[in-house]
Amino acid sequence: MNMAVGNVTAPPAPKRIEEMALPVVMMRDILLKTMFRSNLDVVTEIARNVCLPIPVTQELVDMARTQKLLQATGTLNANSGNEMGYELTDAGKARALDALAQSEYYGAMPVPLAVYQEQVKRQSIRNIQITRDQLTAAMGELILPDTLMDQLGPAVSAGRSILMYGPPGNGKSSISNGIRKAMGDKIYVPRAIEYAGQVITVYDPIVHSAAEEQEDDPNQLRRASNRYDTRYVRCERPTVVTGGELSLKMLDLVYNPTARTYQAPLQLKSSGGIFIVDDLGRQEEPPQSLVNRWIVPLEESRDILALQSGEKFEVPFDTLVVFSTNFHPNEIFDQAALRRIFFKIKIDGPGQKDFLKIFALVAKKKKLPLDEASLIHLLQKKYPTIDNVYANYQPVFLIDQILSICAFEGVSPRMTPEYVDRAWANMFVKDEKIVK
């Protein structure tokens, strides 16, 4: 079900070498390295590996033949539709080895940064308009007050930064995941991008969820692979979730000295999607430092990265950043930093009415019969001891505890005041000194 409104325009497949906007020597060398490393000898296989249309691949093959780096084997490959076979000449092998010494990268041709920037505009997260019904449906079984949805909806639709704060255990992480689910359309993620002759890998199977594609039908006049530039992978809008492990270093390009290539930082991998900073305030760097790093990206929709040489360059910043913290914003930010975060939304615990709704919903899901006397005991005897402060995590915690007690006692799932007391005892730790 495509819940978010928006039809993303696919990147068009290049028809000729000139449309690639890449250095010709780089394209030729990637072709040679790919043939050498993957032991390829027919154009259809080479094209599939370098992610280019067959005519463009044939142009590159013909160029390498003219330079006496490739030669036709003079035989047709019966396993590949009687295609002509090609092999590297001695000069071609030498060039491939020399190119591999400079960079181990081979396979998919990278997309020039300037070309990728145009695709980012076509699939910008700020192009998405999400309605209240769509966002509510994406939240699933979360029970949220209407006033919260009043704030959350415009924030998500704007595609701007969001700070969610409030006491722990009230669903800030779950709400972040709901925002992700609300964005139901697909975008195109480059396998790699090129800047100043350097290759930066972007597509990451851990971050990006590739959408299922229709298999190519050889009987079709127009093959499915030609519908868009296959140097991109069609994916769900990405979500990057970080927590206490987030450091400023993780927001820089990662250089692999062995392969002599770069890996995109987390915020670039999340382009067109969501970057969630959970548990803000638990990282080694102070929250103020982390937000300072985001000031230019948040305000100007561009980020600045640096190569090993020290050369700095701009990349698009098209990400909905969601900060989530258990601290009050005034404790961890100055006012200048808070101004840079467009929406500030407090996530409070539920009132008694919503708490009971959540409790009943969880009990039904976990097949625990409700008991009126036990619920009255919980609300009138236990919660007054903590000033009737309810939290969204508590129903799941208490019900799981009760079910564990029932299993241990060898009885069918049931609620009793005694079981409620035993479950409650595990929810909090008394503030008392331990005698050593």
Side-chain angles (χ1 to χ4, degrees):
M1 179 179 176
N2 188 3
M3 296 171 62
V5 177
N7 295 313
V8 171
T9 302
K15 294 182 175 64
R16 296 187 57 81
I17 286 179
E18 291 79 8
E19 296 179 20
M20 298 283 293
L22 286 170
V24 173
V25 171
M26 171 185 257
M27 290 190 285
R28 182 204 65 193
D29 285 351
I30 289 176
L31 176 87
L32 296 176
K33 289 188 287 183
T34 304
M35 290 181 67
F36 183 79
R37 281 283 191 235
S38 302
N39 195 28
L40 304 173
D41 60 359
V42 293
V43 172
T44 51
E45 288 299 318
I46 298 168
R48 186 175 288 113
N49 279 265
V50 297
C51 300
L52 291 179
I54 290 172
V56 179
T57 307
Q58 186 69 58
E59 274 192 83
L60 288 171
V61 167
D62 291 343
M63 177 197 301
R65 285 184 72 191
T66 301
Q67 297 173 1
K68 299 190 179 346
L69 301 172
L70 286 181
Q71 64 186 13
T73 59
T75 57
L76 299 177
N77 193 321
N79 293 327
S80 299
N82 289 324
E83 282 189 70
M84 176 63 73
Y86 297 93
E87 64 183 7
L88 276 68
T89 62
D90 289 342
K93 291 176 184 175
R95 179 59 208 161
L97 288 168
D98 185 44
L100 284 164
Q102 296 174 46
S103 169
E104 275 284 340
Y105 184 83
Y106 66 93
M109 290 287 172
V111 177
L113 176 58
V115 175
Y116 171 55
Q117 286 173 326
E118 291 304 311
Q119 183 58 33
V120 169
K121 292 176 186 175
R122 287 192 285 262
Q123 61 193 28
S124 174
I125 194 165
R126 294 182 184 176
N127 295 341
I128 291 181
Q129 292 299 315
I130 296 176
T131 66
R132 181 184 293 269
D133 288 345
Q134 289 164 348
L135 189 57
T136 301
M139 292 298 166
E141 295 180 346
L142 289 179
I143 294 175
L144 304 175
D146 289 338
T147 52
L148 175 57
M149 297 301 284
D150 291 344
Q151 292 179 285
L152 202 58
V156 175
S157 287
R160 304 291 291 270
S161 53
I162 301 172
L163 171 65
M164 293 192 293
Y165 66 98
N170 284 311
K172 291 187 290 295
S173 298
S174 298
I175 291 169
S176 298
N177 289 329
I179 293 171
R180 176 185 59 80
K181 290 177 186 175
M183 298 174 180
D185 59 345
K186 311 290 189 296
I187 63 169
Y188 297 86
V189 177
R191 300 173 195 271
I193 57 177
E194 174 270 343
Y195 172 76
Q198 301 296 317
V199 176
I200 303 166
T201 58
V202 179
Y203 174 72
D204 183 345
I206 296 173
V207 171
H208 301 110
S209 177
E212 292 183 9
E213 286 296 336
Q214 178 183 345
E215 290 294 322
D216 283 356
D217 181 354
N219 296 318
Q220 283 184 328
L221 291 175
R222 192 178 183 193
R223 300 285 292 280
S225 59
N226 289 331
R227 289 182 301 174
Y228 65 87
D229 188 343
T230 54
R231 290 178 295 168
Y232 294 81
V233 181
R234 188 168 180 264
C235 298
E236 307 287 343
R237 288 190 179 269
T239 301
V240 171
V241 182
T242 63
E245 77 283 0
L246 179 64
S247 66
L248 288 171
K249 195 173 181 180
M250 293 165 70
L251 304 178
D252 295 331
L253 280 175
V254 179
Y255 182 68
N256 184 327
T258 305
R260 294 182 177 84
T261 57
Y262 293 87
Q263 185 179 106
L266 294 174
Q267 71 274 21
L268 187 54
K269 289 181 180 180
S270 68
S271 286
I274 308 175
F275 192 112
I276 299 171
V277 183
D278 212 354
D279 284 331
L280 187 64
R282 305 294 183 191
Q283 294 77 14
E284 285 188 16
E285 276 100 351
Q288 184 73 46
S289 298
L290 287 171
V291 171
N292 287 345
R293 169 62 180 82
W294 296 89
I295 285 177
V296 169
L298 290 175
E299 289 192 339
E300 302 182 19
S301 298
R302 63 185 178 90
D303 198 7
I304 299 172
L305 301 177
L307 299 173
Q308 281 286 103
S309 63
E311 180 182 356
K312 294 183 178 181
F313 63 103
E314 288 184 7
V315 294
F317 186 87
D318 186 65
T319 303
L320 170 61
V321 183
V322 179
F323 299 103
S324 174
T325 183
N326 297 332
F327 296 95
H328 192 282
N330 291 337
E331 294 176 18
I332 55 178
F333 297 125
D334 61 23
Q335 290 305 307
L338 278 175
R339 279 201 312 273
R340 264 74 184 207
I341 301 174
F342 208 69
F343 293 91
K344 275 80 73 174
I345 302 175
K346 188 178 182 186
I347 310 294
D348 277 320
Q352 187 182 93
K353 183 178 177 182
D354 280 343
F355 171 84
L356 287 172
K357 282 184 186 177
I358 297 168
F359 199 98
L361 197 68
V362 175
K364 182 179 180 181
K365 190 174 181 180
K366 293 181 177 283
K367 297 181 171 53
L368 177 70
L370 293 176
D371 175 69
E372 187 177 354
S374 300
L375 284 172
I376 291 172
H377 178 73
L378 177 65
L379 297 178
Q380 294 185 355
K381 300 294 183 182
K382 310 311 291 184
Y383 270 98
T385 65
I386 59 167
D387 297 324
N388 293 313
V389 175
Y390 300 94
N392 283 305
Y393 80 92
Q394 292 165 351
V396 175
F397 185 93
L398 291 168
I399 288 169
D400 282 345
Q401 288 282 333
I402 290 170
L403 290 172
S404 295
I405 293 167
C406 291
F408 175 73
E409 299 294 352
V411 298
S412 60
R414 66 188 65 177
M415 281 184 74
T416 69
E418 180 203 345
Y419 290 174
V420 167
D421 286 344
R422 288 168 65 177
W424 184 270
N426 282 324
M427 197 156 65
F428 304 101
V429 176
K430 289 182 180 178
D431 189 10
E432 57 187 0
K433 290 183 180 180
I434 298 176
V435 179
K436 297 182 180 178

